[in-house]
Every structure is written in C-alpha cells, then in structure tokens.
Amino acid sequence: MRKIIAGVFQSLDGIMQAPGGPTEDPTGGFTLGGWSCSYWDEMMGDYMGGVIGGDYDLLLGRKTYEIFAAHWPFMTNDPIGEKFDRIAKYVVTSSTEPLGWRNSHAINGDAATGIARLKAGDGPNLLIQGSTALYPALLEARLIDRLFVMTFPVVLGGGKRLFAAGVASGALTLVDHQVSTTGVIIASYEPAGPVPIGSFMLPELNDLERARQERMTREG
C-alpha cells in the first residue's frame, strides 16, 4: 500500500493561496500572491530538496495541476521539471477534458473513493503539494499518512485555507520540526486518532459557572 504525503505552505493565519507569485491564483480578489518567496533560505531549500528528491508520484487537484503543467514543463535543464515530467501525475477532476501533460491520469467521481483505490495499489508514495480542494476529503477519509506544513511569519487576512470550515476533527502527532533563519516553522505530523478530551474545570459546578454555561448554551 502506498502512503500519501501532503505538503503545505501557509501563512500564520492558515492561508495557503498563491504562495508562488502575484498572478498564481487571484480568485476571490486575492492580492497578496507571492507572499512566500522572500522567506526562503538554504535550510528550507535543503528540506524541500529532500522531499522532491524522493521516490513518488504526484497527486494533485485540477487547479494545482494546471499551475504545475503551465510551469514545470517549460523549465529548461531543470531537474525538478524533468522529474515531474517523467513521473505519473494523478489528477482529481470533474472534467472529462484530456490532460495534456504526459503521464497524467484523471481521477473522476468521488475523490476519496478514487484516491483510496489508488493508495491501495502498487507503486511509490503519493505526494501532494498545495491543492486546497483535496485536503477536506482526504482528512475526513483519514487517507493522509504524513502532513508537513511550512508556516510563514505573515498574516494575509483572507484566502483559501488548509483547514476550512467543516474539516474533519482529529489529533496529530508532531514527528519532526525545524525553524528557518527567516522564521518559517517546518513541522511534520502524522495522524493520531480522535481528539483527546480532558478538562481543567472544577470537579463540581458552582452557581456562577452553572449560570455561565447556561448562558453560553442559549447564546450558542
């Protein structure tokens, strides 16, 4: 069985839209594209080099696929572009239009079902980079085996988020972390089952706390 490794560049307030350039993804009136570019240092480059240098196929949403397909095949004498061109690219899409980038394969229908079938088959691990539309379905279906998040020290105020409203709850275990010279936190997580619930509250409710909770319930 394959593993699914998911990577995200996000702001401190959880926005992952258009990290790579001003016109990468202006949907919704987003005007801060390219927000990640000034923060890269050698350590971050080495980390991503280790990720990109591994053995994997790509798993992408349609919009991220279109960004990749319009960029990487046009990078001359670039090892990453050559590798992305060579390996299989699985694209979750509702469109029946052909995928023009070679070695690209469409996953139509229910995303979680199609990806679960792909994951259960033979082959290298599956790497996701970006693709905001994929994460809710994959997290809810518990299909992501490792999530690495680069959190940049910027607040963007709005845009597409990694954890949007309605995402499935769950606990994670931190398995690795680093901090770049520019303040970017790189943290890798693995699923750890349901959210553990505890309490710092008094063992018995007093009248003030009981009234407060009742008021919160009414206002909820």
Side-chain angles (χ1 to χ4, degrees):
M1 177 180 287
R2 303 178 174 198
K3 291 185 177 181
I4 294 180
I5 313 299
V8 172
F9 304 154
Q10 69 167 10
S11 66
L12 197 60
D13 55 336
I15 306 302
M16 56 182 293
Q17 185 170 349
T23 59
E24 182 181 54
D25 181 5
T27 56
F30 190 73
T31 61
L32 296 172
W35 50 267
S36 78
C37 298
S38 299
Y39 290 90
W40 284 80
D41 67 358
E42 184 177 355
M43 185 272 280
M44 294 171 66
D46 289 343
Y47 181 89
M48 285 305 300
V51 172
I52 299 299
D55 184 24
Y56 55 85
D57 290 334
L58 284 173
L59 175 61
L60 304 168
R62 181 64 188 240
K63 291 181 179 178
T64 302
Y65 168 82
E66 290 174 348
I67 292 172
F68 277 33
H71 178 82
W72 290 111
F74 301 93
M75 297 290 288
T76 57
N77 301 317
D78 184 274
I80 298 176
E82 292 172 0
K83 181 171 187 173
F84 283 2
D85 190 60
R86 182 178 66 253
I87 64 176
K89 295 160 283 286
Y90 296 96
V91 185
V92 177
T93 177
S94 60
S95 174
T96 58
E97 294 182 8
L99 301 171
W101 193 5
R102 76 183 186 109
N103 296 328
S104 297
H105 312 276
I107 298 176
N108 299 121
D110 180 71
T113 300
I115 293 170
R117 188 181 302 115
L118 177 64
K119 181 179 179 180
D122 295 328
N125 290 339
L126 298 161
L127 176 65
I128 310 170
Q129 185 62 49
S131 297
T132 56
L134 281 184
Y135 286 111
L138 294 179
L139 290 166
E140 184 172 0
R142 304 289 192 255
L143 289 173
I144 293 177
D145 297 284
R146 177 169 288 201
L147 174 67
F148 69 88
V149 182
M150 287 189 174
T151 302
F152 290 71
V154 294
V155 175
L156 300 177
K160 297 176 182 178
R161 297 179 181 274
L162 168 59
F163 298 116
V167 70
S169 63
L172 299 166
T173 296
L174 180 68
V175 295
D176 181 60
H177 69 282
Q178 303 177 53
V179 181
S180 77
T181 60
T182 59
V184 177
I185 299 171
I186 306 173
S188 297
Y189 303 92
E190 292 182 352
V195 177
I197 302 299
S199 177
F200 292 113
M201 300 179 69
L202 295 171
E204 295 185 10
L205 300 184
N206 56 45
D207 290 343
L208 284 174
E209 176 61 16
R210 185 177 295 105
R212 186 195 69 82
Q213 291 190 23
E214 291 174 351
R215 183 170 63 253
M216 295 290 288
T217 300
R218 292 194 301 270
E219 295 174 355

